């Protein structure tokens, strides 16, 4: 790990207050346990998952996802930490013990996790069964142990067209339990999902970032300008990746909500945010990003990358003011503590230390400009 971000240097998570009155419920997405370095190191895996679960529990996150690798894949070496027994013992059981439900994330192409590339859902369904059989925590016969499996829509590619049919077939065969929800992350247009859109793929994770707020010039005219748009690869790493709306409205919840709503209107999806616009078939988890360009995060502590994202996002915020922003956002769109807005956070790898212990300052994650954004993949400053 980097010397300025050691694995041992992470504060215990302090509980979040006033969770009973929330107008939103949370899911924490996950990608990227460093299998190349620690795929056969049970102590690192146990430490890593324990921190995730502690954070989810103290934040009262409803569901925690874990990106899973096929432990017996022909496409890569064996990773023992992802055996069914290891995942049951180190992830599923301890999460259920603190009332956090769990799900899995699987990749099959660009971010390959070793699953059968022709039938990834079938392979993951078998894996879920093996993990559930290894779980010793007692649950009722009607209660899921692993409650979901999610993909990235871009990663699925052409397979996305047949995913709904495969869900039907696997549930009819009993290989995939009825209480396991299948879903995928994708662009902001996922907010407009209607009841007839792949009705058996129950969950959507529309990304409420990179929808125009980071590249307003590109969104308007179709070309990219390094001085006006966030560009984080050659030919430039640009200042707009640092000077984002998340920074200009940092710790100002109502201003941030108003700004986001304006961008959603420009993107043509604002009406789909309302509670009244949601169908009864799908669960839409609007997903906000916690990325940041400086400071510490699990990604830098454990790997595989020495970065916490590609732009300055919500990780710059104080913990409680970020949660206040979510409360305003959900309430403003018609949700309340009885019917909560599903909100996903992208992702555990980018969580900053001051979101575990709010007594810590946010200063370490605040890059002052391009030259100070010290942990960016593919950084190229002209």
């Amino acid at each position: 790990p980097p010397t300025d971000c050691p694995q041992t240097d992470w504060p215990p998570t302090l509980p979040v207050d006033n969770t009973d009155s929330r107008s939103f419920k949370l899911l924490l997405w996950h990608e990227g346990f460093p299998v190349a370095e620690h795929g056969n190191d049970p102590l690192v895996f146990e430490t890593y998952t324990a921190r995730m679960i502690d954070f989810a529990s103290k934040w009262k996150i409803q569901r925690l996802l874990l990106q899973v690798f096929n432990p017996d894949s022909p496409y890569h070496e064996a990773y023992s930490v992802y055996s069914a027994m290891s995942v049951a013992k180190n992830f599923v059981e301890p999460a259920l013990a603190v009332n956090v439900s769990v799900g899995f994330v699987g990749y099959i192409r660009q971010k390959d996790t070793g699953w059968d590339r022709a039938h990834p859902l079938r392979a993951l369904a078998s894996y879920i069964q093996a993990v559930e059989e290894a779980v010793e925590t007692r649950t009722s016969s009607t209660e899921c142990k692993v409650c979901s499996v999610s993909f990235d829509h871009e990663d699925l590619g052409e397979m996305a067209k047949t995913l709904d049919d495969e869900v039907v077939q696997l549930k009819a065969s009993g290989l995939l339990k009825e209480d396991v929800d299948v879903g995928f992350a994708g662009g902001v247009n996922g907010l407009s999902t209607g009841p007839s859109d792949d009705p058996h793929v129950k969950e959507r994770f529309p990304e409420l970032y990179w929808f125009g707020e980071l590249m307003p010039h590109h969104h308007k005219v179709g070309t990219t300008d390094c001085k006006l748009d966030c560009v984080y690869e050659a030919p430039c790493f640009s200042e707009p990746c640092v000077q984002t709306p998340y920074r200009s409205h940092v710790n100002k919840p109502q201003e941030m909500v108003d700004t986001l709503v304006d961008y959603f209107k420009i993107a043509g999806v604002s009406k789909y945010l309302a509670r009244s616009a949601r169908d009864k078939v799908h669960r839409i988890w609007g997903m906000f990003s916690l990325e940041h360009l400086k400071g510490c995060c699990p990604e830098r502590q454990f790997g595989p990358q020495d970065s916490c994202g590609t732009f300055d996002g919500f990780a710059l915020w104080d913990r409680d003011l970020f949660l206040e922003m979510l409360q305003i956002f959900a309430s403003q769109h018609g949700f309340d503590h009885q019917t909560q807005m599903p909100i996903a956070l992208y992702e555990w790898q980018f969580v900053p230390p001051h979101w575990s212990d709010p007594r810590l300052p946010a200063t370490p994650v605040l890059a002052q400009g391009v030259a100070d954004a010290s942990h960016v993949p593919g950084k190229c400053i002209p």
Side-chain angles (χ1 to χ4, degrees):
T3 56
D4 63 329
C5 192
Q7 291 178 5
T8 55
D9 187 18
W10 194 266
T13 301
L14 300 182
V16 171
D17 296 327
N18 303 320
T19 57
D20 292 339
S21 59
R22 281 180 178 171
S23 295
F24 60 91
K25 55 186 174 184
L26 292 174
L27 174 148
L28 183 58
W29 191 272
H30 171 256
E31 295 174 20
F33 180 78
V35 289
E37 298 85 357
H38 303 298
N40 292 293
D41 191 331
L43 293 179
V44 171
F45 188 67
E46 180 181 1
T47 299
Y48 184 92
T49 53
R51 289 186 187 174
M52 290 176 68
I53 293 165
D54 181 52
F55 180 85
S57 172
K58 301 295 177 51
W59 269 57
K60 300 299 181 185
I61 285 171
Q62 184 183 83
R63 195 190 314 162
L64 177 62
L65 304 188
L66 176 71
Q67 184 186 38
V68 289
F69 289 72
N70 183 348
D72 302 310
S73 175
Y75 307 117
H76 57 62
E77 65 176 287
Y79 299 132
S80 61
V81 298
Y82 279 102
S83 70
M85 183 63 70
S86 171
V87 171
K89 175 185 175 182
N90 293 303
F91 181 66
V92 181
E93 289 180 7
L96 294 179
V98 291
N99 298 314
V100 176
S101 69
V102 303
F104 293 155
V105 174
Y107 279 87
I108 57 171
R109 292 196 308 163
Q110 296 100 319
K111 301 178 181 180
D112 190 22
T113 47
W115 300 104
D116 183 337
R117 292 182 172 98
H119 301 285
L121 184 56
R122 180 178 296 275
L124 279 161
S126 297
Y127 180 73
I128 289 171
Q129 283 195 352
V131 171
E132 289 198 330
E133 289 171 0
V135 171
E136 296 181 0
T137 301
R138 292 183 178 273
T139 59
S140 70
S141 59
T142 59
E143 187 177 356
C144 56
K145 296 175 183 176
V146 178
C147 297
S148 66
V149 57
S150 303
F151 300 92
D152 181 275
H153 190 265
E154 181 179 340
D155 178 71
L156 281 172
E158 290 297 308
M159 292 179 224
K161 297 178 181 178
T162 60
L163 187 61
D164 193 76
D165 291 338
E166 189 165 4
V167 172
V168 173
Q169 294 167 9
L170 290 175
K171 290 195 172 183
S173 71
L175 186 60
L176 187 67
K177 289 185 176 181
E178 283 294 333
D179 58 8
V180 177
D181 288 328
V182 178
F184 57 77
V188 71
N189 287 332
L191 285 170
S192 64
T193 300
S196 62
D197 296 328
D198 290 342
H200 302 96
V201 181
K202 297 289 187 181
E203 297 196 308
R204 299 290 192 277
F205 299 88
E207 296 160 356
L208 307 187
Y209 51 97
W210 288 114
F211 64 92
E213 88 289 13
L214 295 173
M215 302 184 74
H217 173 267
H218 177 271
H219 189 75
K220 184 177 181 179
V221 304
T223 59
T224 300
D225 187 318
C226 285
K227 295 182 179 179
L228 301 173
D229 298 315
C230 173
V231 183
Y232 59 90
E233 295 177 336
C236 62
F237 170 67
S238 63
E239 193 69 26
C241 293
V242 181
Q243 305 303 333
T244 64
Y246 308 101
R247 172 189 287 270
S248 59
H249 302 289
V250 66
N251 294 332
K252 298 175 182 177
Q254 186 64 63
E255 281 188 19
M256 187 74 248
V257 170
D258 293 343
T259 298
L260 287 172
V261 169
D262 286 343
Y263 278 112
F264 288 129
K265 289 178 180 177
I266 294 171
V269 297
S270 60
K271 65 180 180 180
Y272 300 112
L273 292 165
R275 172 182 169 185
S276 59
R278 304 294 175 102
D279 68 43
K280 296 182 180 180
V281 175
H282 299 93
R283 187 178 300 109
I284 310 295
W285 298 90
M287 188 151 61
F288 290 113
S289 178
L290 317 181
E291 297 177 59
H292 53 106
L293 298 174
K294 186 181 178 182
C296 202
C297 64
E299 175 85 38
R300 292 196 63 231
Q301 285 191 313
F302 292 89
Q305 302 294 328
D306 186 26
S307 68
C308 302
T310 56
F311 66 93
D312 268 345
F314 276 118
L316 310 183
W317 284 54
D318 291 343
R319 182 187 78 170
D320 294 338
L321 289 170
F322 170 72
L323 291 169
E324 182 182 335
M325 189 280 300
L326 295 184
Q327 179 71 13
I328 293 171
F329 184 75
S331 299
Q332 194 164 304
H333 289 97
F335 293 87
D336 55 36
H337 71 282
Q338 293 180 316
T339 305
Q340 297 172 309
M341 175 184 251
I343 293 176
L345 305 179
Y346 180 82
E347 53 131 333
W348 164 248
Q349 287 278 79
F350 303 145
V351 169
H354 68 274
W355 276 21
S356 284
D357 186 345
R359 296 173 299 185
L360 297 173
T363 307
V365 307
L366 290 169
Q368 299 305 306
V370 164
D372 192 43
S374 50
H375 304 293
V376 178
K379 180 174 176 181
C380 177
I381 301 176

